[in-house]
Amino acid sequence: GSSVVIDYSEGDVIDKLAKEAEVNGKFDMVLDCVHSADTRDKAAGYYARISGNGNIVKKPGVGGCDKHNYVVLGGSTKHFFKAALKRFRLGNHFQKGFELFWINMPKSKGALRFLSNLCEENNLRPKVEQNLPFTEEGCQKAFASLQGRKTAGKIVIQIQNQSLL
């Protein structure tokens, strides 16, 4: 389980990870939820900066560590193609130390029903960060917020005259 939260908005994440690894030992794995084909992610180069650092994450396949211990949730078309090959048991074609995780939720009907009941009973509500009008300016602001990637909640485009905040 996780025991430390690192706030990416306060200083250099790579430095913070290196300091944490120095104090508590290298990480067994990295789950990178930011990695994507977006040019900003490519420019940040998190995979190269974290795995290439040598002091943050354990070497893949060594000392009981998984040989694909840098896992991403998004990526390029090439990454998704490799994930599809793996999913359909046609081999794992990812380079050592890196893998795209393709989310599969078998047998989740009961959990989804439970969540649905919570929603219907008004006991589970999403966090709404912004409630914007269905105008050109409102839609532009919504997309700018999404592309800024610092949104901590849902962005609602208000079609009718009813606030969800």
Side-chain angles (χ1 to χ4, degrees), residues 19-134:
K19 286 175 186 167
E20 180 63 30
E22 185 178 317
V23 171
N24 292 309
K26 293 180 185 181
F27 294 91
D28 292 328
M29 74 163 292
V30 173
L31 177 59
D32 183 343
C33 300
V34 177
H35 186 91
S36 76
D38 188 286
T39 54
R40 292 168 293 185
D41 292 335
K42 288 179 181 178
Y46 291 120
Y47 173 66
R49 291 173 62 204
I50 292 172
S51 63
N53 179 294
N55 296 319
I56 296 175
V57 65
K58 293 178 182 175
K59 291 189 183 290
V62 176
C65 230
D66 191 272
K67 69 177 184 170
H68 299 287
N69 64 338
Y70 193 98
V71 179
V72 298
L73 298 181
S76 66
T77 303
K78 175 180 78 174
H79 292 138
F80 278 96
F81 180 73
K82 289 179 180 181
L85 290 173
K86 182 180 177 212
R87 183 171 190 176
F88 295 110
R89 303 200 186 341
L90 299 173
N92 189 337
H93 299 276
F94 287 104
Q95 67 195 41
K96 185 176 183 179
F98 181 90
E99 187 168 325
L100 182 137
F101 179 69
W102 187 316
I103 297 174
N104 184 12
M105 299 182 189
K107 302 178 184 172
S108 59
K109 186 177 180 179
L112 292 173
R113 183 173 290 124
F114 174 75
L115 291 173
S116 176
N117 289 338
L118 286 175
C119 290
E120 288 174 13
E121 296 164 3
N122 237 4
N123 291 324
L124 179 68
R125 294 182 53 104
K127 179 182 187 279
V128 177
E129 182 164 306
Q130 295 181 59
N131 191 355
L132 301 167
F134 184 50

